[in-house]
Amino acid sequence: MLFHVRMDVRIPLDLDPDVRAELVARERAYSQELQRSGAWPHIWRIVGEYSNFSVFDVAGNDELHELLSGLPLFPYMDIHVTPLATHPSDVNA
Ligand SMILES: O=C(O)C[C@H]1C=CC(=O)O1
């Protein structure tokens, strides 16, 4: 199943810079591992925001929740999920 996910990152300004850097590095590694596995096929920066639009390709809601809640930055994100269905006019479907 495909899901559109918006992630807005809200790291507290007073978070220790070393803790912040370590979190961001772990987030990058976790994200890139999922991208390589095929579970996270698209990630786009939203221009002018510390946010992304992503597409996840997973078995269902439970797997998506497991992957999202495992994000190192999960405690510092607002996440909005939109399940995607095939459009009847999609010429590629
Ligand atoms: O920067 C972000 O959008 C947040 C997060 C998602 C992947 C990643 O490496 O960081």
Side-chain angles (χ1 to χ4, degrees):
M1 290 179 63
L2 295 175
F3 293 87
H4 177 273
V5 179
R6 176 179 176 134
M7 303 179 203
D8 297 302
V9 184
R10 310 265 184 257
I11 300 175
L13 293 175
D14 60 354
L15 190 69
D16 180 273
D18 290 341
V19 173
R20 178 193 172 102
E22 194 262 344
L23 270 173
V24 169
R26 283 202 292 122
E27 177 82 14
R28 180 182 173 88
Y30 181 88
S31 165
Q32 291 186 336
E33 185 181 325
L34 290 176
Q35 289 173 56
R36 291 191 185 98
S37 80
W40 191 339
H42 294 281
I43 180 168
W44 296 93
R45 177 63 77 219
I46 300 175
V47 175
E49 301 183 43
Y50 192 1
S51 304
N52 72 72
F53 281 136
S54 289
V55 173
F56 282 77
D57 187 356
V58 293
N61 294 352
D62 290 339
E63 184 182 356
L64 182 63
H65 185 75
E66 186 181 324
L67 296 183
L68 294 178
S69 58
L71 289 163
L73 287 177
F74 182 76
Y76 306 110
M77 283 180 175
D78 293 328
I79 299 178
H80 297 277
V81 174
T82 307
L84 301 174
T86 304
H87 194 286
S89 301
D90 184 352
V91 295
N92 297 306

